[in-house]
């Protein structure tokens, strides 16, 4: 029997409308079929399909949101626009400009060229510590003074190994502030060779001693190369050969 037919009969039997409605609700509850009891496997499959349907609905809603982005009107004037999405390539460092390299790379290339010509050690590996030191010298002095320091180092005999230890300069030596300043200030430049000078003038005492030595050699050895006088007799006993401040002639 349907619910409407049951309500009609209850009204005909003299029940009020409220009583008939309460009875109809009780009848509907009793007539609802009981939920079947599922086995563990059936319950597990049911939960799986429910999660699968929920995922499909979520994906459908996401696709709908993306497709509706282009149809949305622009933001009203005065409101802040939606910030653009970050560029995934912004973290990649920019490449050096075409036609050149960084100042540090140029400085290392200048050093390597001068060191190769002078027979000095050429750096085979430029570590991060070396790059920081080169950058510090470039910031402090500039590329021109760096190139000048490299040339002075290559032209220096001391830096090329002509020293008592056979030591030779390298990139680490050039990067030291004290060494760099010494190079550009000419501390390691080769010293010019001194020109030959005339022998110093002899003192009066030296002239006196030479005159006495000649006379003594002539007397003992019979050497007449100093003889420019007619007589060659020297009286050694009567002469005073102590130096008195002025050359004294040898008595004969």
């Amino acid at each position: 029997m349907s619910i409407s037919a049951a309500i009609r009969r209850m009204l005909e039997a003299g029940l009020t409308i409220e009583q008939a409605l309460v009875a109809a609700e009780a009848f509907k509850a009793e007539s609802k079929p009981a939920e079947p009891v599922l086995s563990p496997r059936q319950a597990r499959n049911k939960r799986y399909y429910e999660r699968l349907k929920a995922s499909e609905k979520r994906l459908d809603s996401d696709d709908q949101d993306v497709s509706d982005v282009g149809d949305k009107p622009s933001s009203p004037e005065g409101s802040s626009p939606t910030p653009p999405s970050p560029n995934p390539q912004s973290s990649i460092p920019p490449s050096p400009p075409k036609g050149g390299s960084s100042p540090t790379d140029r400085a290392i290339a200048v050093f390597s060229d001068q060191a190769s010509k002078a027979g000095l050690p050429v750096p085979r590996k430029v570590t991060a510590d070396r790059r920081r030191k080169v950058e510090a010298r470039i910031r402090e002095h500039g590329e021109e003074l760096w190139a000048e320091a490299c040339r002075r180092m290559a032209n220096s005999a001391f830096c090329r190994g002509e020293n008592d230890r056979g030591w030779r300069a390298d990139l680490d030596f050039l990067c030291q502030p004290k060494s760099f300043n010494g190079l550009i200030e000419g501390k390691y430049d080769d010293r010019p060779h001194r020109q030959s000078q005339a022998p110093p003038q002899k003192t009066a005492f030296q002239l006196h001693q030479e005159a006495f030595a000649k006379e003594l050699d002539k007397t003992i050895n019979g050497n007449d190369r100093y003889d420019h006088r007619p007589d060659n007799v020297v009286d050694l006993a009567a002469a005073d050969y102590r130096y008195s401040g002025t050359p004294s002639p040898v008595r004969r």
Side-chain angles (χ1 to χ4, degrees), residues 118-173:
L120 297 175
V122 178
R124 301 183 59 182
K125 183 178 181 181
V126 182
T127 61
D129 181 64
R130 281 180 166 179
R131 291 187 69 88
R132 285 194 297 268
K133 292 179 180 179
V134 173
E135 291 172 359
R137 302 287 79 75
I138 294 299
R139 287 195 303 268
E140 185 178 0
H141 300 281
E143 294 186 53
E144 293 185 1
L145 278 181
W146 173 273
E148 179 181 347
C150 292
R151 289 193 298 268
R152 287 178 178 269
M153 181 193 63
N155 295 330
S156 170
F158 179 84
C159 292
R160 292 195 305 268
E162 298 180 17
N163 50 73
D164 56 350
R165 296 177 299 165
W167 168 86
R168 294 185 301 165
D170 55 8
L171 181 61
D172 297 326
F173 167 79

Side-chain angles (χ1 to χ4, degrees), residues 57-77:
K57 290 181 179 180
R58 186 168 58 253
L59 292 175
D60 292 341
S61 62
D62 294 341
D63 295 340
Q64 182 66 25
D65 294 340
V66 173
S67 62
D68 293 342
V69 171
D71 299 336
K72 291 182 179 180
S74 58
S75 59
E77 186 177 357

Side-chain angles (χ1 to χ4, degrees), residues 13 25 31 47 52 57 64 68 71-72 85 87 100 102 114-115 125 127 151 173 179 183 186 206-207 234 237 240:
E25 291 293 336
S31 62
R47 290 193 299 269
L52 182 61
K57 290 181 179 180
Q64 182 66 25
D68 293 342
D71 299 336
K72 291 182 179 180
S85 60
N87 186 4
S102 66
Q114 294 291 337
K125 183 178 181 181
T127 61
R151 289 193 298 268
F173 167 79
S179 303
L183 283 169
Q206 290 174 332
L207 294 174
V234 179
D240 184 5

Side-chain angles (χ1 to χ4, degrees), residues 9-73:
R9 287 190 176 185
M10 285 185 287
L11 291 175
E12 292 176 352
L15 296 176
T16 62
I17 297 177
E18 290 77 5
Q19 293 174 346
L21 291 176
V22 171
E25 291 293 336
F27 178 75
K28 182 179 179 181
E30 292 177 359
S31 62
K32 184 178 179 180
E35 186 175 355
V37 179
L38 302 177
S39 63
R41 180 177 180 181
Q42 291 174 338
R44 186 170 58 253
N45 292 340
K46 182 180 179 181
R47 290 193 299 269
Y48 170 76
Y49 284 112
E50 288 177 353
R51 289 196 300 267
L52 182 61
K53 290 181 179 179
S55 300
E56 291 177 352
K57 290 181 179 180
R58 186 168 58 253
L59 292 175
D60 292 341
S61 62
D62 294 341
D63 295 340
Q64 182 66 25
D65 294 340
V66 173
S67 62
D68 293 342
V69 171
D71 299 336
K72 291 182 179 180

